Amino acid sequence: MLKVSAPGKIILSGEHAVVYGKPALLASVDRRIVVSFGNSDNFSEGQDFIYKAVNLLRKNLQVKDVNSSLKIVSDIPVGSGMGSSAALSVALSALFYKKYKKVWDLNLINDMAYQIERIQHGNPSGGDNTVSCFGGFLWFRKKSKRKMLFTQVKPTKKLPKIIIIQSGKPRETTREMVAQIRDFYVHHRREVEKIFNNLESVTKGFLKCLDADFSDISILINENEHLLEALGVVSDKTRFLIRKIKKLGGAAKVSGAGGIKDGSGILIAYHKEPEKLFLFAKSNKLDSFSVILGGKGVKIE
Ligand code: MEV
C-alpha cells in the first residue's frame, strides 16, 4: 500500500521577515506525518482544510477517483509552529502525484503543496512546505509569489542539542499572525523594516554558526527572540517562561508565527546541560522533547 511521509520543521531564524523577502533558516525535524489511502483515524488538523486540499489536488491533477478516503497519522504538534499543515500539504501532494500521475518530482510536489498552504494561510512565504519537501537545513528566500530561492546547507559540525518546549497552543492562527504583522508593517513601515533588517543579520549569524562553531548559539537565540518580541508575536505568558529559562542559564525563542493571547507555540531552547530544560518544563507542566534536525524530506514509506 502506498504510504507517504513528510517532516515537520523549526525555524532557526527569519520567521515573519521571510514573508517580506528576507532570508530564513529552517530545518526539518524527526517528527513526521504519514498519509495513505484508507480509513480515516482521528486527526486534529482541520477536516475543512483536508477537504479543501483534496479538492484542489483532484482539480489540478484531474483526478476522477472520488471514493478514496485518507488515513493520516502524525506526531507533529498541530497549530504550534512546527509545520504540521505544511507537512500535511507536502505529503498529500506527493501521495496524489505518485498515485494518480506516477510522478515523483520534488519541485512539482512542492509547488502544489505551496498552493495548498495558500488556502490555509493566505500569504505564506513557502518556506515551511519547502523544508518539509526537501528536508535538511534550508536557506530560503521568497522573491515573489512565484519565485523562491533556496539552498540546502550542510552543518560542518555536530549540532548542539535543541529542546522543544511547548509554551501553549496559540489562540491565533498563522494566517491571523501574518495579517497582524502586515498591519504593523503598513502603519509603522520604518520601524518594522528595521526589525526585519536586524532579523536578517541574526539569520546570517545562524548560517555562520552552522558553518563554523556553535559557541554563539545562545546569543543568537536570545537576539532572535528579542526581535520577535519587538514585532509583537510573543505573549506575556511566553515571555515570562523565556525569562525563567534565561535565568537558568539557557536560551529560548519562539519558532514560527507565534501567538499573543495565550501560548506562542513551540519554543526552541538550548542549554549546555539539557536536563535543566527538561526539569524546567516538567515543573511548569509543559510538554518538552528533543529533536534531531536536518532529516530527510518527503519520502515513500
Ligand atoms: C510560519 O511557520 C512562518 C511565518 O514566517 C509565515 C511564513 O513564512 O509563511 C510566520
Side-chain angles (χ1 to χ4, degrees):
M1 189 187 46
L2 177 62
K3 259 190 194 174
V4 169
S5 80
K9 67 93 195 16
I10 60 156
I11 301 183
L12 285 165
S13 183
E15 47 275 89
H16 288 291
V18 67
V19 176
Y20 297 79
K22 295 289 185 195
L25 190 58
L26 306 102
S28 60
V29 297
D30 57 340
R31 290 198 161 220
R32 305 182 73 88
I33 197 163
V34 185
V35 298
S36 55
F37 292 104
N39 280 334
S40 181
D41 284 359
N42 274 342
F43 175 64
S44 47
E45 191 78 59
Q47 287 302 319
D48 184 48
F49 171 50
I50 296 171
Y51 179 76
K52 286 182 182 155
V54 167
N55 270 348
L56 185 101
L57 285 163
R58 286 205 172 115
K59 189 170 143 244
N60 288 6
L61 300 186
Q62 294 154 349
V63 174
K64 303 257 157 19
D65 173 6
V66 284
N67 291 323
S68 44
S69 56
L70 289 165
K71 184 174 163 84
I72 302 172
V73 180
S74 174
D75 61 359
I76 308 169
V78 173
S80 294
M82 228 171 162
S84 168
S85 83
L88 178 59
S89 306
V90 168
L92 284 177
S93 166
L95 184 76
F96 273 67
Y97 261 116
K98 183 73 190 158
K99 163 130 181 166
Y100 295 108
K101 297 282 158 194
K102 310 279 178 263
V103 161
W104 190 264
D105 175 327
L106 292 187
N107 288 311
L108 288 179
I109 292 169
N110 193 38
D111 286 351
M112 189 66 75
Y114 181 57
Q115 290 188 48
I116 300 173
E117 276 285 272
R118 289 177 60 86
I119 309 177
Q120 179 78 333
H121 299 309
N123 181 32
S125 63
D128 291 7
N129 50 279
T130 306
V131 76
S132 176
C133 191
F134 290 87
F137 289 83
L138 213 70
W139 177 261
F140 178 92
R141 208 186 259 275
K142 177 184 180 178
K143 285 288 188 192
S144 69
K145 249 185 209 163
R146 289 176 193 283
K147 199 165 164 62
M148 286 149 205
L149 298 177
F150 57 91
T151 332
Q152 269 170 325
V153 186
K154 281 212 164 62
T156 41
K157 283 191 186 162
K158 195 170 178 285
L159 282 172
K161 204 179 175 111
I162 296 290
I163 309 296
I164 302 296
I165 298 178
Q166 173 61 282
S167 76
K169 194 170 166 173
R171 283 205 217 143
E172 303 83 355
T173 61
T174 297
R175 179 190 276 269
E176 286 163 352
M177 293 305 293
V178 169
Q180 166 157 324
I181 298 303
R182 170 71 55 196
D183 196 50
F184 189 16
Y185 183 78
V186 167
H187 292 102
H188 303 272
R189 193 163 177 144
R190 295 232 328 245
E191 189 183 336
V192 178
E193 268 173 1
K194 201 169 158 203
I195 299 173
F196 285 167
N197 288 338
N198 289 336
L199 271 169
E200 180 169 13
S201 305
V202 176
T203 307
K204 286 181 176 161
F206 269 101
L207 183 66
K208 269 200 198 139
C209 187
L210 290 191
D211 235 6
D213 87 79
F214 298 110
S215 52
D216 282 352
I217 199 157
S218 294
I219 300 171
L220 289 167
I221 291 176
N222 287 332
E223 280 178 359
N224 184 286
E225 171 59 23
H226 177 72
L227 292 164
L228 292 175
E229 289 180 12
L231 268 185
V233 298
V234 187
S235 67
D236 290 345
K237 180 178 152 185
T238 306
R239 282 171 191 237
F240 184 64
L241 288 174
I242 291 176
R243 296 294 170 273
K244 287 214 244 173
I245 293 173
K246 272 175 99 172
K247 275 201 183 134
L248 286 173
K253 65 163 287 255
V254 163
S255 171
I260 315 156
K261 292 188 192 127
D262 190 7
S264 309
I266 57 129
L267 306 178
I268 56 177
Y270 169 76
H271 196 297
K272 55 182 183 319
E273 295 168 66
E275 261 324 297
K276 294 216 163 128
L277 293 177
F278 288 123
L279 282 174
F280 166 81
K282 196 168 172 204
S283 64
N284 285 277
K285 299 192 171 50
L286 305 171
D287 276 349
S288 63
F289 51 92
S290 57
V291 273
I292 300 171
L293 301 181
K296 202 161 170 30
V298 65
K299 64 175 185 190
I300 295 174
E301 289 291 317

